[in-house]
Amino acid sequence: MTTVPTSVGRADAARPTGRGAGGRPPAAATSVSSRTWVRALSRDAGILPFFAYTGIFLLLPTILVIIGAFTARDGGFSLDGIHQALNARTAKIFWTTTWLAAVTAIVGAVVGSVIAYALSTAPQGSVSRRVITAFNSVLAQFGGVMLAFAFIAMLGTNGMITRLLHSLFSVDVPSNLLSSMAGIVLVYIYFQIPLMVIVFVPAVDGLRSEWRETTMSFGGTTRTFWLSVAGPILAPRFLGALLLLFANAFSAFATAAALISQQTIIVPMAIESAIRNENNTNMTAYAQVLALGMILVIAVIMALYAALQRKTARWEQ
Amino acid sequence: MSTYASHVVHGPEHGSVRDDVTVTPDAPVRAGARAAATRRQTAFRRVVYLVSILLMAVPLVSLVEYSVRFPLTGAVNLDAWRKIFAGRTNEYTTLDNLWLGLTNSLIMCLITVVIMLVLLLPTMVWVRLSGKKFSRFVEFVCLLPLTIPAVVLVVGLTPIYRVISTQILNSSAIWLSFAYVILVLPFSYRAMDAGLRAIDLKTLVEAARSFGASWLTVLLKVIVPNIKGALVSASFLSCAVVLGEFTLARLLAKDNLQTALFVINLSDSQVAAAMSFLALALTTILLVVMDLIMNRAPKAPKKLDASKTYRAPKKRIKDTTR
């Protein structure tokens, strides 16, 4: 902050001197501008370590993926990788991943928002609320493989729920449930709901009791409150969370990998099998094309999210 | 402040009951209907609350049950737990992989937290002090890893790690920490952002500088003590991310806790279940402790700066309409 006025002041001071010398105004001007350029750079130097680090470990990998998808084996530009990847199998894997993400995002968002509301009614400092929030973020963000194991312990062949259902209701859980699509949907919902809860609690926390009071004193019912007051207020946040959940399920890998080892059904698993196949260098290109496809889908989601944010901001003004 | 917050934020349940008594100058008939509505809602909330707690408890209970019940015979024994608590011994060599993975993960927690703090704290302080120019950029970059799938990142990281392991360092798993710093950015950014927002950074820094403190002193002796809670919380979240990370390690063929669990599940699934339970429970406790620290932290600067207290209600209104 303190450097800004100093540099401006010096640049102003330098200009009259240059003119006063009269001899070579252009040279003086360039030296001033180059000096201000150096000064501007040193002023912005604080960002450099961060820029360099994220450049190497975030930007560079992303660029390498994009370049790699358009590069032939000899290093030249080529669309071969893309052409090879454009087949029915890739399309099917992308389609499966997309609908898996969409279905689990919708279920997760609906159920999660109800739980978030219930949670928001508990006092903020209460032990149950703290523990539930913490456990939810573990399930949603840090526990992919462990969640899969929990499901094996619940609904696997020797799982607790499997045995309970069998002995109590003589219902048999299909032995391949957890490696089937239905099982995957179930497990995904188990991390989508918690994610919705932690994302949405701040939104429902913002609902003020005065709004409900006002609705009530104007003769409104609970129904009116939710449909005409809370609903419109929460809608943009809900849609935003829905997009976040979609992106989350779309890129999830650990849970599915821990449950299914035989087939590749979702894009991240296809990328894994392509990377791990070291004999065939063509496969690296295939992995890059798949990764590019994921980047594109995520980019669409982010664009929708940004548009939603803009619209909300305008609506609130 | 905390009581004030809980009144405003948690109005719907506590507030509405109390307000029915105090703020009902109008028709008593409607007040009765309102009370009935409130009762219905409370019942609804309690049911949802109970069901969700139950649904969350089932996976944990199942893991514990699975870890003590031998799958084929149904006999209950504590072998899995005995093996874990025996630690790294020659008796159970099958678990060597697990201990290696756990050690790697713990070392990586440390490295990741150190790099994250050294990289992010000065950057965020600098961005705040040097005007708004880069704040959007830094925020965007920090939140980016939330949207870029780890599995995409890994495809691009493969050649980078090939260089790191052959030409710069070695093929040890702990260098995964460099990439983990990227993965923890969104979480630590948010925590530190909240911490820095709560203090009057500019005044603190200007005061310290005018007393002749160097930038390092300002950072370590003025800023760090003031946002200790946020830093602890950023570090805990980073540890949670690193302990739960699977994708990068699996695809770059390095050993960490999660890949070890993955492998051990194939040979000794009971140990994997017991270890999963421990990891889930410990990470949850870590986050609860973090939450406690985080919620206690903002009180300190508030005592110093009375204007904050007065500004608080305004801010909350802004937050709710967002």
Side-chain angles (χ1 to χ4, degrees), chain B residues 74-314:
Chain B
V76 172
N77 65 48
L78 293 173
D79 272 2
W81 292 93
R82 221 169 278 137
K83 283 180 196 165
I84 288 176
F85 284 106
R88 192 173 200 161
T89 62
N90 294 326
E91 200 180 339
Y92 306 114
T93 44
T94 46
L95 295 194
D96 278 357
N97 200 1
L98 183 66
W99 299 124
L100 175 70
L102 182 64
T103 316
N104 282 345
S105 280
L106 291 175
I107 296 173
M108 287 192 281
C109 278
L110 196 71
I111 302 178
T112 309
V113 165
V114 170
I115 300 181
M116 180 272 294
L117 289 175
V118 170
L119 186 71
L120 206 52
L121 180 64
T123 304
M124 288 183 69
V125 169
W126 182 85
V127 161
R128 268 148 209 277
L129 292 177
S130 66
K132 290 281 164 210
K133 199 168 161 193
F134 287 105
S135 69
R136 282 261 154 199
F137 168 76
V138 170
E139 183 179 15
F140 177 75
V141 171
C142 283
L143 298 184
L144 209 53
L146 271 190
T147 46
I148 294 188
V151 74
V152 168
L153 213 53
V154 102
V155 175
L157 281 171
T158 310
I160 294 173
Y161 266 96
R162 204 176 297 134
V163 174
I164 288 180
S165 61
T166 55
Q167 286 166 31
I168 302 173
L169 297 160
N170 53 42
S171 59
S172 166
I174 58 173
W175 309 126
L176 266 183
S177 315
F178 299 144
Y180 285 175
V181 172
I182 297 294
L183 295 188
V184 306
L185 276 184
F187 301 97
S188 28
Y189 174 84
R190 279 189 194 150
M192 283 208 225
D193 188 52
L196 287 172
R197 237 176 247 271
I199 63 170
D200 193 346
L201 187 66
K202 224 162 237 177
T203 312
L204 278 177
V205 171
E206 271 163 22
R209 290 288 287 168
S210 70
F211 280 116
S214 72
W215 280 109
L216 195 66
T217 315
V218 172
L219 204 62
L220 294 181
K221 300 224 165 124
V222 178
I223 298 173
V224 167
N226 269 297
I227 58 165
K228 223 187 291 162
L231 294 179
V232 169
S233 139
S235 308
F236 278 20
L237 281 169
S238 302
C239 288
V241 172
V242 174
L243 288 177
E245 211 287 325
F246 173 75
T247 311
L248 290 192
R250 172 82 179 159
L251 270 73
L252 292 171
K254 314 274 185 200
D255 297 309
N256 74 2
L257 175 62
Q258 300 298 324
T259 56
L261 279 177
F262 185 86
V263 172
I264 215 122
N265 184 47
L266 305 174
S267 58
D268 195 340
S269 55
Q270 285 189 280
V271 169
M275 209 57 197
S276 298
F277 171 78
L278 278 183
L280 283 174
L282 288 178
T283 318
T284 308
I285 292 171
L286 193 76
L287 295 186
V288 171
V289 171
M290 180 202 86
D291 188 34
L292 288 172
I293 294 173
M294 197 55 178
N295 281 349
R296 209 174 337 127
K299 274 181 192 163
K302 224 146 265 156
K303 255 180 255 160
L304 294 171
D305 183 7
S307 68
K308 278 276 176 330
T309 325
Y310 295 118
R311 220 180 298 150
K314 213 179 186 178

Side-chain angles (χ1 to χ4, degrees), chain A:
Chain A
M1 188 59 210
T2 47
T3 53
V4 179
T6 329
S7 72
V8 170
R10 279 206 202 132
D12 285 344
R15 213 169 290 137
T17 334
R19 250 187 243 132
R24 295 169 312 206
T30 40
S31 87
V32 165
S33 76
S34 78
R35 235 182 295 154
T36 42
W37 187 80
V38 168
R39 227 175 272 130
L41 193 75
S42 66
R43 202 167 58 218
D44 294 344
I47 196 77
L48 286 180
F50 178 80
F51 194 72
Y53 195 96
T54 52
I56 294 176
F57 289 102
L58 182 62
L59 192 65
L60 186 59
T62 317
I63 292 173
L64 285 178
V65 166
I66 298 172
I67 292 177
F70 294 102
T71 309
R73 216 183 306 174
D74 57 12
F77 174 83
S78 118
L79 291 172
D80 287 356
I82 309 267
H83 278 302
Q84 271 170 14
L86 286 178
N87 54 39
R89 195 173 154 270
T90 316
K92 185 167 180 282
I93 290 177
F94 262 94
W95 170 241
T96 313
T97 316
T98 307
W99 82 249
L100 174 66
V103 167
T104 58
I106 292 168
V107 175
V110 171
V111 179
S113 55
V114 174
I115 296 178
Y117 174 66
L119 201 59
S120 79
T121 61
Q124 195 144 37
S126 83
V127 178
S128 66
R129 185 174 164 159
R130 280 185 209 276
V131 173
I132 290 176
T133 314
F135 186 56
N136 271 330
S137 46
V138 172
L139 279 185
Q141 289 161 315
F142 318 119
V145 177
M146 300 175 285
L147 183 65
F149 290 165
F151 263 82
I152 295 174
M154 275 160 73
L155 290 164
T157 340
N158 283 297
M160 189 174 81
I161 304 295
T162 310
R163 281 181 287 114
L164 268 180
L165 286 176
H166 181 78
S167 56
L168 291 181
F169 310 108
S170 354
V171 175
D172 283 318
V173 174
S175 61
N176 65 346
L177 175 73
L178 289 178
S179 51
S180 71
M181 221 42 215
I184 295 289
V185 168
L186 193 65
V187 183
Y188 269 46
I189 286 173
Y190 240 87
F191 65 71
Q192 293 281 62
I193 294 177
L195 183 61
M196 184 65 182
V197 171
I198 50 175
V199 172
F200 209 57
V201 158
V204 283
D205 261 352
L207 286 180
R208 295 163 67 100
S209 60
E210 289 91 326
W211 297 342
R212 185 191 285 273
E213 288 305 311
T214 315
T215 318
M216 295 293 188
S217 42
F218 281 114
T221 58
T222 307
R223 206 182 130 85
T224 354
F225 173 70
W226 283 108
L227 286 181
S228 317
V229 182
I233 288 168
L234 294 177
R237 297 283 289 262
F238 182 85
L239 287 178
L242 190 69
L243 290 173
L244 187 72
L245 261 63
F246 179 90
N248 182 48
F250 192 80
S251 38
F253 167 69
T255 314
L259 285 175
I260 301 175
S261 49
Q262 304 301 326
Q263 331 132 261
T264 44
I265 49 162
I266 55 173
V267 184
M269 295 174 89
I271 290 179
E272 189 213 11
S273 67
I275 286 186
R276 299 207 124 210
N277 190 335
E278 282 167 354
N279 319 325
N280 190 346
T281 41
N282 255 348
M283 291 305 272
T284 316
Y286 184 55
Q288 284 162 336
V289 174
L290 288 175
L292 178 68
M294 289 191 83
I295 292 180
L296 291 180
V297 174
I298 295 296
V300 170
I301 297 295
M302 278 177 77
L304 285 174
Y305 188 79
L308 186 73
Q309 297 284 80
R310 264 200 308 278
K311 207 167 178 187
T312 319
R314 209 182 313 144
W315 175 74
E316 274 170 3
Q317 269 164 11

